[in-house]
Amino acid sequence: MRRRRSRGSSGERSRTDAATHGFAGAAGVDVRAVRRWVRREIERLGAGRVDLGEVDLMVDEIAANALRHTASGRSGGGVGASVRAFADVVRVEISDDGGAVSLPVVCTMTDAWAEGGRGLAMVAVLAERWGFEGGGPGRPVTVWFEVGRP
């Protein structure tokens, strides 16, 4: 599990509220719909003081990675999203359908002009903490991040 700053596990915090939703469709998953839902849930949970622009970027990156690198992007695939508000952080989780050939990793930048490889590095910089759960050969992965509540 990768972390930027550790502030203890979310399990140690008292949960205030949570919401989950699945995204799938015959035409595929719309990353914008995932982003809009997460933003709406953060606001509904009363955690709208977090930097929603940064949350949008991280949700876009993680959901797009799920669609690009896993079975979530194939016909009939989907992603799940979860938002949990704690007293001091908001935790966002994006789950894929599995099938990735590798686990999420922050790539080192060897080519400044490369088209890919910056997304999880951006998440690592913007998030209070981030990581992933699950995985293994063909198994679903949940990538999560936490942002502080001012």
Side-chain angles (χ1 to χ4, degrees):
M1 176 174 24
R2 305 273 184 201
R3 295 183 186 175
R4 180 169 172 248
R5 280 179 261 156
S6 179
R7 294 174 30 157
S9 75
S10 293
E12 298 169 2
R13 300 183 184 115
S14 60
R15 188 176 70 154
T16 58
D17 206 353
T20 59
H21 187 73
F23 296 86
V29 175
D30 182 356
V31 172
R32 294 171 298 182
V34 179
R35 180 182 64 230
R36 282 191 303 266
W37 181 85
V38 167
R39 179 180 277 251
R40 194 169 47 246
E41 289 305 312
I42 288 173
E43 291 170 342
R44 184 187 69 78
L45 295 172
R49 292 179 55 199
V50 302
D51 188 328
L52 293 173
E54 290 182 358
V55 169
D56 287 348
L57 288 171
M58 291 185 280
V59 169
D60 282 351
E61 178 57 36
I62 295 167
N65 279 351
L67 296 173
R68 182 176 298 120
H69 301 293
T70 74
S72 294
R74 297 184 193 127
S75 178
V79 297
S82 174
V83 176
R84 294 182 180 149
F86 298 90
D88 59 341
V89 297
V90 172
R91 181 179 175 119
V92 176
E93 301 175 351
I94 306 292
S95 301
D96 65 41
D97 284 345
V101 296
S102 65
L103 293 173
V105 64
V106 174
C107 296
T108 58
M109 291 308 303
T110 57
D111 181 359
W113 297 103
E115 288 187 31
R118 294 179 186 86
L120 287 178
M122 177 186 65
V123 172
V125 168
L126 296 176
E128 190 86 13
R129 292 174 5 114
W130 82 278
F132 63 89
E133 298 166 358
R139 300 192 50 134
V141 172
T142 298
V143 178
W144 57 268
F145 66 87
E146 294 177 347
V147 291
R149 291 180 74 171

